[in-house]
Amino acid sequence: MESPLQLYAVFHLNLAYSAVEEEQRPEVLERCYWPLLRLARELNLPLGIEASGYTLETVQALDPAWVEELRVLVTQGDCEFIGSGYAQIIGPLVPAPVNAMNLRLGHEVYEQLLGIRPRIALVNEQAYAAGLVQHYLEAGYRALIMEWNNPAHYHPEWDRGWLYAPQWAGGVNGEAIPVIWNHAIAFQKFQRFAHREMELAEYLDYLAGHLQPAAGDDGRSIPGALSLYGNDVEIFDFRPGRYHTEPQIQGREEWQRLGLLFRTLRDDPRFHLVPPSRVLALLQGPQAPRLHLESPEQPIPVKKQPKYNITRWAVTGRDDLGINTACWRLYRALEKSPQPLPDAWRTLCYLWSSDFRTHITARRWSKYQKELRRWQRQLRVTPESSAPAPKGLIPGPGPGAQTPRFRAAAPASPQGRRRRPHGMIRRQGLYLDLETDAVKARFNCRRGLALEALSFPGRFSAPLLGTLPHGYYEAISLGADYYSGHNIVDIPAYRRVTDLNPCEPRWRVLYTPDGQVVQVQSRIPTELGPVHKRWDIYCSRPRLELHLSFSWPALPLATWRTGILTLIPGSWSREFLYYQTHNGGYGLETFPLAGRHVDHTASVSALISASHGLGGTGGVVILGDGERRLRVGFDQAQAAVMPMLTYQETGEQFFCRLLFSLGELDETRRLREQRAPAPLHRKLQFSLSLELDTPK
C-alpha cells in the first residue's frame, strides 16, 4: 500500500481584518476563534494556528480565556503556533529595519502571552521577496510557509513533485531557508466545501487527485505532503462583507461541516493529518537545489489569482500612496531619533499594516488617519508643501540661437591643477541641446521637455536612454513613439492625459558644493493642470535629476505613471541586461532579462490595471549589462512610488522601460473619493547616474 498523503493546515487569525469593524471583534471571537480551538481540542487535531502579535494583544484585551486556551493547546496539545510578526505588514514594501523590528516585536508578544518563540513563520499575505529570507533567519525562524502556485507559474522548469515536500528558498546573499508550501487552489477548495459550494465526496475526490502517487516529472515516487488550508479563519460562520459575491451564512453550520471533514480525513487511510513542522522531515539536505521563488516577471509573488498582486498595498486602496508616504516619513524620523518615544516602533509597524490599504471601512479609515496625524505631530513630521517654480531663470533664446559657453568647476587633476571643463546650451528647432564634460542631453520642447537622448561623454558616448520614434520597431505592437521623462495618466473610459505638450524652456547655471549645475525648466500645461518640470544636469559628474511638481486641483480615478525612462537598445548588451532593486531586504535583488517577457504594467482585467511591481525600498533601481550601470534614485519619503518594468524582445532588438506608479486601479479604490478635497500639490525627484559595471 502506498504511503498516505500527509495533510497539514494553517489557520490565519487577523483581528485587524480590513472589512471588520472594531465592535465586531467579539463576534469574530465567538463565531470563528473559539470554534477553531474547540474543534482542535475535541478531535485532537494537529492544526497550525497563526496570528500577529497585534491580534494576540487585541484578543487578550477582549477575552483572556481564549489566549490561555491557545497557550495550552500549543504547549501541551497537538496544535502548533505559527509566527508572522507584530503586525501584518507587506515586507517587500517596507524598509529592511522595519521588517527586522516587526519580527522582533512579534516574538516579544508571543513569549509574553504564549510562553513560546515560534520556529515557523507564515509570510504575510504570501507577499514574498528574496530579501526577506535574511530577516526570518536572523529572527530565529527555521522555516517559512509560502504559496506554491504563483512562484511555480513563473518557473515552468520546476519539478511538479517539489510541491509535495518542503524545498530550500534562496536569499540574496547565498543564505537559504526551508519553505513549507501553501496551496492556493487547495485552500480555496477547502473554503468552498465549508461554504456548501462543494459536497464532501467531490472534495475528497479532489484530494485523492494528489495521490497519483505524488510522482515527479521524472516518474519518481515522492513522499507526499499537501497543504489542506492556509488562509483566513474569519470567513467561517462569519462574513467580513468585502464582496457582494460572498456566500450567505446558513445558520452556524460551517464549523460543523469542517468538523465532519476532519473526522472523515482522520479515519481515511489514504490521508494522515500532521502538524506543519512534521513535513520538514521530507526536506532534502542543504545540498538540494535552492529555488528562487521570485522572477523578473513576478519579482514579488503574492497569494491567489493575479488580481491579488503587490500593487493592492502600494498604490491603490483609499490612499495607499499617501499613507505609505506618511509611514516612510515617520520611519525617517525614528531613524534620526536618538531616543524614540515609547512604543514608536510598535506603532509604526501597526500603521504599516496591510489591512489599512485594502477594504478598510470608513470608520476605521477615519480613526487610522487621526492616529497617523497624531504620530506625525509627536515625531514632528510636517506635511509636504507645494513646490513653486524657481525664480530668476535666464530666459531661453529663440530657435537656432546659441548661448555662450559656460565654465564648470571640476576636481583637481593629478598634478594638482584644476581642470577647466566647459559646457554649452543651444536651442535648435524643436530641441534644446546641453553638453558638459560629463553629460550630453537633448530635450524635446514640443514634447514637454521629454528626454530625446542622454549620454555620458568620457564613459559611453552612445545615448543610453531617450526617445524611440514611431517606426523604430517593425513589430506593429510596438508601433508608437516611446519617450523618456514624462507622465501618463490613463482615465478609464475617457482618455489619456500626458505632459507631452509644447513648452518653452528656461535655464540657469548654479554653483553648488558638487560643482556647477545647469537647470532647465518649463511649465507644461495639461488637461488636469500644469506640470512644473525641471532637469538638473551636473557639469562634472555623470548625473542628472528630474524634478516634477503637479499643481492639479484634483485627480480623477485613474492610473498614473511617472518618471518613465526608455532604454536605447543599441547601446546595451541584450545578453547580459538585468535590473536590481531592494524589496524589503538589506541587499539588492538581481533579475536577468535576456529571453524574458516582462510587463509589470499589464492589466489583469478591466478592473485591475496592473499585475506586478517592485518594492524599491532602498530608493534605487539599477539597470545594468556588465559594462555599465544606470542608477535611478528616488525618495519614498517624498512620494512612495512603485517602480515597474517592461521588457520584451523583438527580432534582434529589445524594448525596455522603467517607470514609477503613483496610482493603479483595483476593487479597493473608492469611486466617491476620485476627486481630492483640496488642490493636489505633489513633488517628485528622480536621479540618474552612471557607474561602471563588472561582467555578470
Side-chain angles (χ1 to χ4, degrees):
M1 179 180 177
E2 293 287 347
S3 299
L5 179 66
Q6 297 184 51
L7 299 175
Y8 52 96
V10 176
F11 288 84
H12 165 58
L13 282 63
N14 177 24
L15 272 189
Y17 205 119
S18 60
V20 175
E21 299 284 6
E22 291 188 13
E23 61 268 24
Q24 291 181 290
R25 290 172 176 174
E27 183 183 1
V28 172
L29 270 164
E30 177 191 353
R31 299 180 69 102
C32 306
Y33 289 15
W34 272 112
L36 173 66
L37 298 192
R38 293 191 187 106
L39 185 64
R41 179 173 287 280
E42 291 171 6
L43 301 182
N44 296 319
L45 295 176
L47 303 180
I49 299 175
E50 178 271 328
S52 67
Y54 172 80
T55 289
L56 286 185
E57 285 181 339
T58 306
V59 177
Q60 175 71 13
L62 293 172
D63 191 348
W66 187 91
V67 176
E68 175 61 20
E69 175 70 358
L70 175 63
R71 187 190 67 79
V72 172
L73 283 174
V74 299
T75 56
Q76 302 176 18
D78 296 323
C79 289
E80 199 163 74
F81 186 76
I82 308 297
S84 59
Y86 178 73
Q88 183 175 266
I89 65 177
I90 304 302
L93 295 182
V94 304
V98 175
N99 277 316
M101 184 63 72
N102 190 53
L103 295 176
R104 171 186 161 187
L105 294 173
H107 278 317
E108 290 180 3
V109 176
Y110 300 150
E111 291 176 333
Q112 176 187 355
L113 297 181
L114 302 178
I116 60 172
R117 194 179 180 95
R119 304 299 301 278
I120 300 175
L122 179 72
V123 176
N124 289 329
E125 296 287 8
Q126 305 290 265
Y128 172 91
L132 302 182
V133 171
Q134 178 182 357
H135 295 307
Y136 286 111
L137 289 172
E138 291 180 351
Y141 285 105
R142 66 187 182 97
L144 300 179
I145 297 174
M146 175 57 196
E147 191 205 68
W148 160 271
N149 309 75
N150 275 281
H153 175 75
Y154 288 98
H155 287 283
E157 75 279 6
W158 285 5
D159 187 330
R160 187 177 181 275
W162 291 343
L163 163 64
Y164 300 101
Q167 305 295 327
W168 291 92
V172 172
N173 301 308
E175 68 274 25
I177 192 168
V179 172
I180 300 170
W181 297 116
N182 192 6
H183 196 286
I185 301 300
F187 80 61
Q188 290 172 332
K189 293 285 190 184
F190 185 95
Q191 293 171 347
R192 291 186 178 198
F193 169 76
H195 294 161
R196 276 198 174 277
E197 296 176 2
M198 290 181 71
E199 293 303 326
L200 181 60
E202 182 184 0
Y203 181 69
L204 292 176
D205 285 344
Y206 166 74
L207 292 180
H210 291 274
L211 293 168
Q212 304 301 329
D217 293 340
D218 58 1
R220 294 180 298 108
S221 180
I222 298 174
L226 178 70
S227 170
L228 191 69
Y229 191 65
N231 203 41
D232 304 327
V233 75
E234 296 86 2
I235 61 171
F236 301 122
D237 280 333
F238 182 82
R239 296 293 182 267
R242 293 180 304 171
Y243 307 109
H244 297 299
T245 56
E246 290 177 340
Q248 295 298 312
I249 298 178
Q250 300 179 13
R252 293 197 182 188
E253 64 171 18
E254 291 172 1
W255 284 107
Q256 295 177 10
R257 287 178 63 81
L258 293 180
L260 170 64
L261 172 62
F262 278 114
R263 288 186 182 92
T264 302
L265 294 174
R266 184 186 58 184
D267 298 335
D268 192 324
R270 297 175 298 174
F271 308 110
H272 180 44
L273 297 171
V274 298
S277 63
R278 181 75 60 84
V279 302
L280 288 173
L282 304 176
L283 178 70
Q284 299 182 49
Q287 73 281 358
R290 295 188 178 187
L291 307 185
H292 285 277
L293 280 58
E294 71 284 359
S295 64
E297 297 87 350
Q298 187 184 50
I300 303 174
V302 175
K303 67 180 181 181
K304 300 197 291 189
Q305 284 76 11
K307 71 175 183 177
Y308 299 98
N309 63 70
I310 193 64
T311 62
R312 71 191 287 106
W313 300 286
V315 284
T316 64
R318 290 182 182 267
D319 184 16
D320 289 355
L321 180 70
I323 62 177
N324 287 339
T325 302
C327 286
W328 272 96
R329 292 174 183 171
L330 292 175
Y331 162 68
R332 294 283 172 77
L334 282 178
E335 267 192 317
K336 298 175 182 177
S337 176
Q339 293 183 327
L341 296 170
D343 289 332
W345 282 102
R346 184 179 301 243
T347 301
L348 179 59
C349 292
Y350 165 76
L351 293 173
W352 235 313
S353 297
S354 65
D355 292 283
F356 297 121
R357 288 151 174 82
T358 52
H359 296 277
I360 192 72
T361 65
R363 278 189 291 164
R364 289 185 61 199
W365 174 250
S366 178
K367 182 178 179 180
Y368 172 81
Q369 289 182 305
K370 291 178 182 177
E371 182 77 354
L372 195 59
R373 288 193 293 268
R374 183 172 74 85
W375 277 92
Q376 286 176 326
R377 290 192 298 269
Q378 290 192 11
L379 296 177
R380 298 180 181 178
V381 175
T382 58
E384 180 186 41
S385 59
S386 60
K391 298 180 180 179
L393 300 183
I394 304 171
Q402 179 175 325
T403 63
R405 295 179 181 271
F406 56 86
R407 295 200 177 277
S413 67
Q415 292 76 27
R417 296 188 301 274
R418 298 188 68 84
R419 292 187 295 109
R420 306 289 286 177
H422 61 270
M424 180 189 69
I425 305 176
R426 181 172 56 191
R427 176 73 180 270
Q428 298 188 95
L430 301 178
Y431 302 108
L432 180 70
D433 291 321
L434 185 147
E435 184 173 357
T436 74
D437 279 6
V439 178
K440 182 178 180 181
R442 166 171 277 197
F443 303 100
N444 190 330
C445 302
R446 188 173 176 79
R447 292 288 182 257
L449 286 186
L451 194 58
E452 184 75 11
L454 172 67
S455 60
F456 298 93
R459 295 200 175 182
F460 299 100
S461 58
L464 297 180
L465 59 86
T467 297
L468 300 178
H470 175 259
Y472 184 90
Y473 298 101
E474 282 193 27
I476 191 61
S477 60
L478 295 173
D481 295 286
Y482 296 100
Y483 299 95
S484 289
H486 59 299
N487 290 268
I488 296 176
V489 178
D490 282 327
I491 307 171
Y494 179 54
R495 65 173 300 173
R496 167 172 286 186
V497 178
T498 76
D499 58 350
L500 296 169
N501 300 317
C503 65
E504 282 302 317
R506 301 160 69 87
W507 58 82
R508 65 177 176 178
V509 181
L510 301 179
Y511 292 86
T512 74
D514 292 322
Q516 286 183 336
V517 175
V518 182
Q519 289 187 343
V520 178
Q521 174 174 298
S522 188
R523 179 181 183 273
I524 305 162
T526 77
E527 186 175 327
L528 297 175
V531 175
H532 299 273
K533 181 180 294 185
R534 189 182 88 226
W535 292 94
D536 288 1
I537 300 92
Y538 287 71
C539 296
S540 305
R541 300 166 55 193
R543 176 185 173 91
L544 71 161
E545 297 171 354
L546 170 61
H547 298 255
L548 298 167
S549 178
F550 305 90
S551 298
W552 294 353
L555 180 66
L557 192 72
T559 65
W560 182 3
R561 283 125 186 205
T562 188
I564 303 170
L565 302 174
T566 304
L567 298 192
I568 305 297
S571 302
W572 298 83
S573 171
R574 186 174 81 170
E575 181 181 0
F576 299 106
L577 194 64
Y578 65 87
Y579 71 91
Q580 291 179 313
T581 194
H582 303 82
N583 293 317
Y586 291 107
L588 283 165
E589 300 182 30
T590 302
F591 301 91
L593 289 169
R596 302 282 189 163
H597 185 101
V598 178
D599 189 357
H600 300 161
T601 69
S603 61
V604 176
S605 69
L607 301 177
I608 314 295
S609 64
S611 50
H612 305 291
L614 306 173
T617 52
V620 65
V621 176
I622 294 172
L623 295 165
D625 67 354
E627 291 187 52
R628 58 193 68 77
R629 288 159 54 91
L630 183 67
R631 176 181 289 266
V632 183
F634 49 96
D635 185 357
Q636 298 281 36
Q638 187 180 56
V641 295
M642 166 161 274
M644 294 175 160
L645 191 114
T646 64
Y647 176 85
Q648 70 178 83
E649 296 177 356
T650 172
E652 297 299 317
Q653 297 178 318
F654 68 84
F655 172 68
C656 184
R657 276 188 136 181
L658 175 65
L659 60 161
F660 298 84
S661 177
L662 287 161
E664 299 296 329
L665 301 177
D666 67 12
E667 83 283 3
T668 69
R669 291 288 292 267
R670 296 294 186 268
L671 284 171
R672 64 179 178 275
E673 296 171 351
Q674 65 180 355
R675 300 200 66 80
L680 175 67
H681 297 287
R682 189 173 302 282
K683 294 188 297 183
L684 297 172
Q685 176 182 333
F686 300 97
S687 64
L688 290 77
S689 58
L690 186 68
E691 304 171 350
L692 296 178
D693 200 358
T694 56
K696 298 294 173 184

